[in-house]
Amino acid sequence: MRYQVRQGVLQSTRIISPAPISSSTLSTIQDCINNDARRLFDQNPASCDTVAWNSIINGLIRHNQVQRAHQLFDQMPVRNVVSWNTMMSGLSDPRQLHQLFLQMNRAGERPNQFTFSTLISGFLNRFHVILVPQLHALILHLGLHSNVFVASALMRGYTQLRDRHGLCHVFDDVLIKDVSTWNALVVGYMDLGFTVEAQIAFDMMPEVNIISWTTLVNGYIKNRNINQARSIFNQMTQKNVVSWTAMIKGYVQHDKYVDAIQVFISMLKSGTHPNHFTFSTLLDACAGCSMFLFGKQLHSCIFKSGMCCEVVLLTSLIDMYTKCGDIEAALCIFGCMENKNTVSWNSIIGGCARHGLAKRALREFEKMTESGVKPDHVTYINLLSACVHGGLVEEGERHFHSMGVTYGIQAAMKHYTCMVDLYGKAGALDKAEKLVKEMPFEPDAGVWGALLAACGLHSCYELGEFAANGLDNLARQNASIYSMLMKLHGEKGAWSRVIEMRNKMTETSGKKQKAGSRIEFLLIQNHK
DNA sequence: ATAGGGTTAG
């Protein structure tokens, strides 16, 4: 596929060339080999040695047949440390991983460097990361701390625990550090917000690679210094699809959509091919500022490139279409999706809500639960906001109460905001008030704002002042509070207070923000 | 026969 920008339109053309053996052909060949191995193994497992058992188990894991792998693992006559490590690499649930590790120790098998790098990696982003210091102690005891794989896993763990000293200790204990070790240090410093230290570490590195550079760029983006990120990005002598995508993502995160697209165009001009990460990011940009035409052009590029078969990308497309106003297109893609996960369902439910299709949103929710996909807290935010748009008080109440009972999802601030909004818009101000007063935490600006808006809508002075006080106490002074109170006072005929509110409003210098729109072609035309 | 560091969606 080749991409070019012609007359302001992103175009792609298919390049026909003799195909070498594709990766799918290779994996088919690999599968045949694996199947042959399986057949030999199945004929007489008893004659196979531990190495053969391990290979089979590894093959099954690589082909996502973890259950079968586990069965064979349990049947093995003799297990060695590789068997345990291989089995551990197949487990994604940290609890199972933990259990297997304990079992391994009970069986008298001594863990090695492979064990710890696998184990710790499986604990990252999970509650179990809390075990990292204990594992570190064990690693030191066994003398495995100088292994670069173990060290980088530990460094990521300490970074997640926000333990700067832990991070540095692990790094210092590695005798022969390689690029990855240094990169892990830069990532760690950046994640913990120490940009200066990260930069110093980067400057001290004996050798840097493209990953080091991208790490640095990403670090500055995470630390909200997009200009520094760009400056580093410009210094890169080599860029690949990952670094380009990171820069684009940085601009999208900072709502700088024009810059994001300009970087994308430079990327195409440099001859780097976008991948599904790049397209997801760009679709996110389209959703962010309603670039409908550009979004459709991207869809066309994705379609022609033949890459569109994966959940994340399709979900990005759905989100782009709903946020650009084309709910029909979104529903169409959603209907064709083979694998839907919680996020995909959430985006279609949210999309229906945004388009006022409250009943449809509720129906999609039913289908979601029927298909066995578990809803999460976002599902309920979207579902409840659909109820708000549709004025479906009873449905909203029912779901609000059942989310905890059926799925164990605790109602958070956002859910309460939706409910206050739902009651408020429907005129059930007594219920809205009751909910605000009985909430398990202090209401935030969103909750008070929803209540105040409801009071404005239904001319409820007493409660309106209560809500305005709540907002005031949060020191979130803004013109909308006074504008609402002004309206309420005005309806009562309390003109002196109307003037008072009016003055306060101008003091807080609240000017209504102007509505705006973007014409996507200008972005590209400007660039030419 | 086993392992690490940079980019994606609500």
Side-chain angles (χ1 to χ4, degrees), chain A residues 62 165 182 255 260 277 450 498 512:
Chain A
R62 301 282 90 85
H165 295 294
W182 281 94
D255 295 331
F277 288 88
V498 170
K512 271 185 98 171

Side-chain angles (χ1 to χ4, degrees), chain A residues 130-411:
Chain A
I130 200 135
L131 295 172
V132 161
Q134 295 178 42
L135 292 171
H136 187 192
L138 193 50
I139 287 162
L140 287 168
H141 181 72
L142 295 168
L144 299 171
H145 53 273
S146 217
N147 178 279
V148 285
F149 292 88
V150 174
S152 53
L154 278 174
M155 286 165 77
R156 287 191 64 193
Y158 277 118
T159 302
Q160 274 178 29
L161 293 169
R162 310 206 65 77
D163 180 348
R164 180 192 171 173
H165 295 294
L167 171 75
C168 295
H169 271 296
V170 176
F171 178 79
D172 289 337
D173 281 350
V174 182
L175 290 175
I176 303 165
K177 304 163 177 66
D178 67 2
V179 201
S180 297
T181 321
W182 281 94
N183 286 346
L185 183 67
V186 176
V187 173
Y189 273 138
M190 280 298 191
D191 279 0
L192 297 178
F194 298 111
T195 51
V196 176
E197 286 81 355
Q199 182 69 57
I200 293 170
F202 179 85
D203 294 336
M204 281 170 65
M205 285 175 72
E207 59 159 316
V208 293
N209 59 14
I210 196 161
I211 298 176
S212 325
W213 283 99
T214 312
T215 301
L216 203 61
V217 170
N218 258 320
Y220 282 116
I221 291 168
K222 267 186 209 149
N223 287 288
R224 331 196 95 257
N225 192 345
I226 188 83
N227 292 332
Q228 184 62 18
R230 181 57 189 265
S231 155
I232 299 290
F233 182 75
N234 289 342
Q235 290 169 42
M236 292 175 75
T237 46
Q238 277 196 329
K239 300 180 181 83
N240 63 9
V241 61
V242 181
S243 34
W244 283 106
T245 305
M247 194 66 239
I248 296 171
K249 176 70 184 169
Y251 279 127
V252 176
Q253 274 177 339
H254 288 79
D255 295 331
K256 295 189 166 186
Y257 303 107
V258 180
D259 295 288
I261 290 169
Q262 281 174 350
V263 173
F264 174 57
I265 290 168
S266 310
M267 172 183 176
L268 297 181
K269 286 184 175 166
S270 80
T272 311
H273 285 209
N275 63 11
H276 58 292
F277 288 88
T278 323
F279 281 120
S280 274
T281 305
L282 288 165
L283 287 167
D284 193 24
C286 295
C289 62
S290 294
M291 293 186 287
F292 188 35
L293 186 53
F294 186 52
K296 283 195 286 191
Q297 288 173 356
L298 288 171
H299 188 177
S300 156
C301 290
I302 293 165
F303 184 69
K304 284 195 223 168
S305 73
M307 67 168 67
C308 189
C309 53
E310 177 254 358
V311 211
V312 177
L313 192 48
L314 289 172
T315 306
S316 304
L317 271 171
I318 290 170
D319 192 50
M320 182 278 290
Y321 275 118
T322 66
K323 288 186 178 155
C324 290
D326 194 343
I327 183 71
E328 288 305 322
L331 284 167
C332 178
I333 296 170
F334 185 73
C336 299
M337 271 174 91
E338 287 176 12
N339 303 312
K340 301 176 176 103
N341 63 17
T342 304
V343 183
S344 353
W345 283 101
N346 289 353
S347 50
I348 201 70
I349 293 172
C352 289
R354 225 172 295 118
H355 283 263
L357 306 174
K359 289 269 168 63
R360 178 74 191 250
L362 291 170
R363 275 210 306 280
E364 295 299 338
F365 175 74
E366 298 302 332
K367 283 196 246 168
M368 172 184 189
T369 52
E370 279 164 18
S371 71
V373 177
K374 293 258 175 295
D376 66 2
H377 63 110
V378 180
T379 318
Y380 276 97
I381 293 169
N382 291 349
L383 193 63
L384 294 175
S385 64
C387 295
V388 174
H389 287 299
L392 306 172
V393 180
E394 280 176 19
E395 302 276 21
E397 274 181 335
R398 192 163 59 80
H399 288 299
F400 182 67
H401 290 126
S402 77
M403 60 187 265
V405 182
T406 317
Y407 295 102
I409 303 164
Q410 282 222 328

Side-chain angles (χ1 to χ4, degrees), chain A residues 44-168:
Chain A
N44 190 4
S47 74
C48 293
D49 61 359
T50 308
V51 175
W53 279 86
N54 290 344
S55 309
I56 294 292
I57 290 173
N58 188 41
L60 288 168
I61 287 170
R62 301 282 90 85
H63 286 78
N64 292 319
Q65 301 191 41
V66 180
Q67 277 229 311
R68 180 78 189 119
H70 214 315
Q71 283 170 0
L72 287 186
F73 177 79
D74 290 338
Q75 290 166 16
M76 281 181 83
V78 183
R79 284 183 278 262
N80 63 14
V81 64
V82 179
S83 328
W84 290 96
N85 293 342
T86 308
M87 194 59 242
M88 280 170 72
S89 74
L91 299 179
S92 51
D93 180 0
R95 284 166 302 187
Q96 285 183 11
L97 203 53
H98 189 206
Q99 285 307 313
L100 199 67
F101 178 69
L102 297 178
Q103 221 180 312
M104 173 184 188
N105 285 289
R106 277 198 298 272
E109 194 66 67
R110 189 194 180 112
N112 66 7
Q113 60 274 36
F114 288 82
T115 319
F116 287 107
S117 71
T118 307
L119 186 68
I120 297 169
S121 301
F123 286 171
L124 296 174
N125 295 314
R126 311 284 182 155
F127 168 76
H128 288 72
V129 78
I130 200 135
L131 295 172
V132 161
Q134 295 178 42
L135 292 171
H136 187 192
L138 193 50
I139 287 162
L140 287 168
H141 181 72
L142 295 168
L144 299 171
H145 53 273
S146 217
N147 178 279
V148 285
F149 292 88
V150 174
S152 53
L154 278 174
M155 286 165 77
R156 287 191 64 193
Y158 277 118
T159 302
Q160 274 178 29
L161 293 169
R162 310 206 65 77
D163 180 348
R164 180 192 171 173
H165 295 294
L167 171 75
C168 295

